[in-house]
Structures are given as structure tokens and as C-alpha cells.
């Protein structure tokens, strides 16, 4: 079927975070979900389950593990076993389990800022030390400085939290880059927690490589976090998974989670299964639409806001905009919300290297995006 992403769907009044935080006259382009309806087979599967009307304790269907295994095999030639999949109510939950299972208070956690804020705030919250290896800006993209990466590791660093694809800089790391990072991590005996939640949102010419697929040695030290939530716009249904091939790491994970981390809710399972089995058609179409929005945004910024620099995007629907030379009188996110009534994510929230940036979520109808950009350009023209 042909999906319609152009029609603007009213999300206010649905308790959604994105549209609920700001006053009514602000267009919110911040938190990472999409304004689109999810895939028809997902909606239909949920409807059928609701009609059944009994919502007692539930475990993930065998079919869900099978669907995930088949997908990993097909996309990445990655063969895993059923027992290596651990279901989770969210990827941030997974990050926090990893931090506590594999590092003691005072131990170090390696991260690559600017990055999704849970990567550095959550370890710090639990008393772990942040070892920062910032990504390096080169032209319109970011690269890894491998010397800096290695020198950020101390003798107390235990975990590397990788964000691939990377939020917010939009990189899909190459096999070569992943190989070099993995080699360094293995040499220092780090555990790799690889957050691959954005792995289905890659633009043409780019290919996702799960770091665990590089070699059995890397797989043995890696926890891979994946979910259908970003891919199919079902984040509110809270279903994700950790793939942990090493039995010892899996045991430590389960010990840390015991009695604290709840099972995934029924609707999350149902939606995940429908997504993995029947979501492809929707995903292909949404990626086409997102690619159109990305290119439209890049063209708009180039022509009408030339002092803002948009980073090249290999993946995600989150654009990383450098406003340092835009001559704004204050922090860019504050400026745009006050003067343009557009709500963007604040660059400094992504840690080191985020100053002067905003992150713009373009997973919305083109009309909404155009209106937001017109408002931003108008606000800047008054400077
Ligand atoms: C890299 C990354 N990890 C995790 C999450 C959130 O995952 P969850 O809602 O499953 O906790 C996000 C959401 O933006 C993200 O960008």
C-alpha cells in the first residue's frame, strides 16, 4: 500500500512528549520520534490483540525471537541463538544495566561526545567516571581520532558505549572505523555496549555494520542494543533487545536486572513482531520521505540560512546544525524557541562539542518542516 506522510496528524492532546512540552504556538522538532502513523500491519496487530481483551502476564512469543534472528541473518549474516536475546523495555534501560553490570563505581566509561546525553549523564549518575574521546569535526562531517580514542582509556576504564549510527552527528561508522575501535577495546579488555537503535535509518550508499559481527572475539565482548522503536515509530510501546553472545556477560546482565527491570509489555511484543515480519514496505517508504526531507532541509539551509552549517547525514532523521557563525545573540536553541517559535534540541545537552549547535528532528510532514524553517529564516533576517 502507499503510505501518506504529508498529512499533518494532530498529536496534541495525546500526552505525547514532543508536542506537549512547549506552548501551542511552538513547532516542536526535538525529541527523536516521528510525527507519522506507524505501519498498517502494526496497527492491525495491536487492534487484534486489544480485541482479545485479556491482558495478563505475557512472555515474548517464540515467533519474535525467530523473526529477530532471521532479520539479523538476512541483513548482516549474523547468526545468533534464541537464548542470546534479552528483551528490554527500552534502550536507555539497557545502557543503565550495562553500566552497572560491567563497571564498579569509580570505574571509567568511554564515550564519544557530542553524543546522546544518557551516554554520559547516566554513568556519572551511578558514580562511574567519564572517559571522553570527542569526535573530530572535519569539513561537514565527523571523524574518529584513534590516538585520542585510545588515550582516553585509563586502567580503570571498563566499558565503551558506542553510538552507531551516531546521534547527533549522523554518522554510520564504516567497517574499517569499527574494526579500529574494536581492536583498541579488545586490547584494553573493555566491554563494548553498542547502541544501534538507529540502525535501520540509513540513507542510500551507507550500510549498517553491527560491531559484534566483526569477529567472534569482538562478539564475545559486546552487548548490542537494538529496537524497533525508532525504525517503526513505536517508541511509546517500549520494546527493545540486547544481544549478548557471551554467557558470562549475559549472566551479569541478568543478575543486575533481577527484580528491577520489568518484562516488556504485551503491546510492545505484538508491535515488534508485526514490525519485524511485515514492516518493510512502510520502512522503505518512510526512508524515501525522510531522504526527501533531509535534502530539502540541506538545500533550505544552504540557500536561506547560509551562516548555519548542516552536517552531512548518513543516517537518522536528526540533523546537527552548527550555528556558531550565525551571529545569534544567545544560545541557538533559546533563540529559535523565543524568536521563531520552533523547539529544537539544545546542542550543549549532547556534551563536549555541542556548544553553538542545535539538533533538528525532520521526521514530520514536509509542510510542518517548511513552516518551521520559514520561521527560523524570518527570525534570523531580523538580526
Ligand atoms: C542513541 C539512542 N539510544 C537510545 C534512545 C532511547 O531509547 P529508548 O526510548 O528505547 O530508551 C535514543 C532516543 O533518542 C537514542 O537516540
Amino acid at each position: 500500500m502507499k503510505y501518506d506522510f504529508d498529512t499533518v496528524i494532530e498529536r496534541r492532546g495525546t500526552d505525547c512528549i514532543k508536542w506537549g512540552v512547549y506552548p501551542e504556538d511552538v513547532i516542536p522538532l526535538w525529541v527523536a520520534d516521528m510525527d507519522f502513523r506507524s505501519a498498517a500491519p502494526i496497527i492491525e496487530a495491536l487492534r487484534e490483540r486489544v480485541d482479545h481483551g485479556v491482558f495478563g502476564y505475557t512472555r515474548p512469543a517464540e515467533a519474535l525471537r525467530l523473526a529477530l534472528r532471521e532479520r539479523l541473518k538476512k541483513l548482516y549474516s549474523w547468526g545468533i541463538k534464541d537464548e542470546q536475546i534479552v528483551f528490554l523495555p527500552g534502550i536507555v534501560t539497557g545502557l543503565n544495566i550495562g553500566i552497572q553490570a560491567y563497571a564498579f563505581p569509580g570505574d571509567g566509561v568511554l564515550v564519544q561526545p557530542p553524543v546522546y546525553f544518557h551516554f554520559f549523564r547516566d554513568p556519572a549518575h551511578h558514580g562511574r567516571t567519564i572517559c571522553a574521546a570527542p569526535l573530530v569535526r572535519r569539513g561537514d562531517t565527523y571523524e574518529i581520532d584513534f590516538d585520542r580514542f585510545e588515550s582516553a582509556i585509563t586502567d580503570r576504564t571498563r566499558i565503551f558505549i558506542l553510538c552507531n549510527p551516531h546521534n547527533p552527528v549522523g554518522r554510520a561508522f564504516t567497517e574499517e572505523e569499527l574494526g579500529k575501535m574494536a581492536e583498541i577495546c579488545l586490547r584494553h579488555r573493555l566491554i563494548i555496549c553498542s547502541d544501534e537503535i538507529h540502525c535501520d535509518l540509513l540513507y542510500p550508499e551507507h550500510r549498517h555494520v553491527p560491531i559484534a559481527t566483526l569477529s567472534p572475539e569482538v562478539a564475545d565482548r559486546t552487548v548490542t542494543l537494538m529496537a524497533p522503536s525508532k525504525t517503526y515509530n513505536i517508541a511509546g510501546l517500549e520494546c527493545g533487545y540486547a544481544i549478548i553472545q557471551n554467557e558470562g556477560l549475559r549472566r551479569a546482565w541478568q543478575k543486575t536486572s533481577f527484580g528491577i527491570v520489568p518484562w516488556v509489555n504485551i503491546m510492545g511484543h505484538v508491535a515488534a513482531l508485526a514490525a519485524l515480519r511485515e514492516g518493510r514496505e512502510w520502512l522503505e517508504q518512510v526512508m524515501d520521505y525522510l531522504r526527501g526531507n533531509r535534502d530539502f532541509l540541506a538545500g533550505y539551509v544552504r540557500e536561506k540560512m547560509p551562516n548555519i552549517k548542516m552536517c552531512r547525514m548518513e543516517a537518522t532523521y536528526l540533523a546537527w546544525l552548527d550555528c556558531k557563525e550565525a551571529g545569534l545573540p544567545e544560545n541557538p536553541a533559546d533563540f529559535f524557541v523565543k524568536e521563531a517559535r520552533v523547539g529544537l534540541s539544545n546542542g550543549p545537552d549532547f556534551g563536549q562539542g555541542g556548544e553553538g549547535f542545535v539538533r533538528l528532528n525532520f521526521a514530520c510532514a514536509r509542510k510542518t518542516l517548511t513552516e518551521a524553517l520559514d520561521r527560523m529564516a524570518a527570525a534570523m533576517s531580523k538580526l
Side-chain angles (χ1 to χ4, degrees), residues 32 90-93 116 119 163 167 195 197-198 229-230:
I91 297 308
V92 170
T93 304
Y116 183 51
F119 280 42
C163 195
N167 169 16
D195 180 338
I197 194 170
H198 296 283
S229 50
K230 301 286 174 206

Side-chain angles (χ1 to χ4, degrees), residues 26-313:
V26 171
I27 300 177
L29 304 181
W30 64 290
V31 74
D33 68 21
M34 311 194 209
D35 286 345
F36 309 131
R37 270 167 78 81
S38 191
I42 297 177
I43 297 171
E44 193 44 44
L46 288 169
R47 193 172 286 130
E48 261 181 40
R49 190 64 185 80
V50 167
D51 284 345
H52 181 255
V54 183
F55 308 114
Y57 292 118
T58 307
R59 58 183 181 175
E62 289 306 314
L64 180 51
R65 288 181 200 273
L66 177 64
L68 179 59
R69 283 200 290 108
E70 283 178 351
R71 183 188 187 82
L72 297 178
K73 188 84 189 161
K74 182 162 162 236
L75 293 179
Y76 315 118
S77 307
W78 187 12
I80 60 160
K81 301 197 175 96
D82 275 348
E83 66 269 22
Q84 296 170 342
I85 304 168
V86 184
F87 285 91
L88 289 170
I91 297 308
V92 170
T93 304
L95 291 173
N96 279 273
I97 298 171
I99 292 159
Q100 296 183 69
Y102 308 131
F104 289 114
D107 284 345
V109 175
L110 179 64
V111 294
Q112 294 173 301
V115 73
Y116 183 51
F117 65 87
H118 282 288
F119 280 42
F120 53 89
R121 280 196 203 156
D122 297 19
H125 176 78
H126 294 295
R128 275 63 175 173
T129 306
I130 299 304
C131 307
L135 293 172
V136 179
R137 180 95 180 275
R138 199 139 298 148
D140 65 352
T141 189
Y142 281 80
E143 292 176 359
I144 301 160
D145 177 335
F146 292 99
D147 292 333
R148 212 164 166 190
F149 183 83
E150 184 155 16
S151 61
I153 299 172
T154 71
D155 57 2
R156 287 207 64 182
T157 311
R158 297 283 175 266
I159 310 174
F160 167 43
I161 312 185
L162 169 66
C163 195
N164 184 38
H166 192 281
N167 169 16
V169 309
R171 284 292 322 277
F173 292 117
T174 63
E175 192 164 343
E176 195 189 347
E177 288 171 312
L178 294 169
K180 283 191 194 167
M181 288 191 279
E183 185 274 318
I184 294 170
C185 289
L186 257 49
R187 198 148 33 74
H188 291 270
R189 302 200 50 73
L190 305 192
I191 292 176
I192 304 172
C193 276
S194 185
D195 180 338
E196 304 184 13
I197 194 170
H198 296 283
C199 68
D200 295 305
L201 305 172
L202 267 68
Y203 295 107
E205 290 106 52
H206 300 282
R207 187 171 69 91
H208 179 69
V209 180
I211 195 164
T213 60
L214 293 181
S215 72
E217 292 74 27
V218 179
D220 202 46
R221 308 276 309 169
T222 299
V223 170
T224 306
L225 299 165
M226 290 178 164
S229 50
K230 301 286 174 206
T231 313
Y232 300 98
N233 203 29
I234 51 174
L237 295 169
E238 294 168 342
C239 176
Y241 11 83
I243 296 147
I244 313 175
Q245 291 174 274
N246 176 296
E247 203 186 326
L249 292 185
R250 211 160 56 236
R251 236 181 289 118
W253 181 278
Q254 276 152 348
K255 198 168 161 206
T256 304
S257 317
F258 185 80
I260 298 173
V261 180
W263 294 344
V264 173
N265 73 88
I266 301 172
M267 296 306 169
H269 284 151
V270 167
L273 179 59
L276 294 180
R277 276 183 171 168
E278 300 169 87
R280 175 112 321 252
E281 191 182 28
W282 183 90
L283 179 57
E284 279 168 10
Q285 293 181 36
V286 88
M287 283 311 295
D288 267 354
Y289 196 84
L290 291 175
R291 181 160 46 108
N293 273 4
R294 177 199 64 172
D295 295 345
F296 171 73
L297 169 65
Y300 194 107
V301 170
R302 217 174 19 247
E303 280 163 35
K304 302 199 181 145
M305 298 187 259
N307 294 332
I308 292 184
K309 303 284 173 244
M310 175 168 153
C311 290
R312 188 189 336 149
M313 294 193 64

Side-chain angles (χ1 to χ4, degrees), residues 329-383:
E330 58 185 324
N331 171 46
D334 291 341
F335 171 80
F336 286 119
V337 79
K338 273 194 243 157
E339 305 301 328
R341 310 307 283 157
V342 176
L344 304 169
S345 299
N346 183 29
D349 290 349
F350 297 84
Q352 206 174 332
E355 308 77 21
F357 283 79
V358 285
R359 192 192 71 176
L360 185 153
N361 173 352
F362 56 78
C364 58
R366 180 77 54 86
K367 190 169 161 228
T368 308
L369 179 61
T370 309
E371 162 89 33
L373 292 173
D374 286 346
R375 290 186 189 189
M376 288 166 67
M380 289 181 68
S381 72
K382 292 191 195 126
L383 288 173

